[in-house]
Amino acid sequence: MAKNVAQSATLASLDQKLAFAKRCSHEGVVAGAKAAIVATIATAIPTLASVRMLPWAKANLNHTAQALIISTAAGAAYFIVADKTV
C-alpha cells in the first residue's frame, strides 16, 4: 500500500513537472517569435535603405546578401530570447 502511494505521488510530481516544462517551452517559443519579428523589421529597414542610398552597398550587397543579413539577425534574436525565457 505504501509503495502505491509513493508511486502515485511520484507520478503526480512528474506530471506537474512535465506540464511546467511544456508551459515554459511554449512561452520561450512565443517570446522568441516576437523578438524575431522585431529584429526582422529593425534590420530590414536600414539594410534596404542602405542598398538604395549607399553606392558601396548597392554594388556589393545583392539580394542574397540582404536576405542573409536580415535572417541572421532574426534567427539570433529568436534563439537568444527563447533561451533566456526558458
Side-chain angles (χ1 to χ4, degrees):
M1 172 94 177
K3 191 174 187 180
N4 289 339
V5 172
Q7 282 180 337
S8 65
T10 304
L11 289 176
S13 174
L14 288 175
D15 287 340
Q16 228 176 9
K17 288 179 183 179
L18 181 62
F20 182 71
K22 284 183 181 180
R23 190 176 74 238
C24 284
S25 64
H26 179 71
E27 289 174 5
V29 169
V30 171
K34 287 179 183 178
I37 291 168
V38 171
T40 299
I41 294 167
T43 308
I45 292 171
T47 301
L48 297 175
S50 67
V51 169
R52 293 188 66 132
M53 295 180 196
L54 300 174
W56 178 89
K58 186 179 258 185
N60 292 310
L61 296 179
N62 61 13
H63 295 293
T64 304
Q66 295 169 35
L68 280 171
I69 291 168
I70 295 166
S71 63
T72 300
Y78 174 83
F79 285 112
I80 291 169
V81 171
D83 183 50
K84 296 292 181 183
T85 303
V86 173

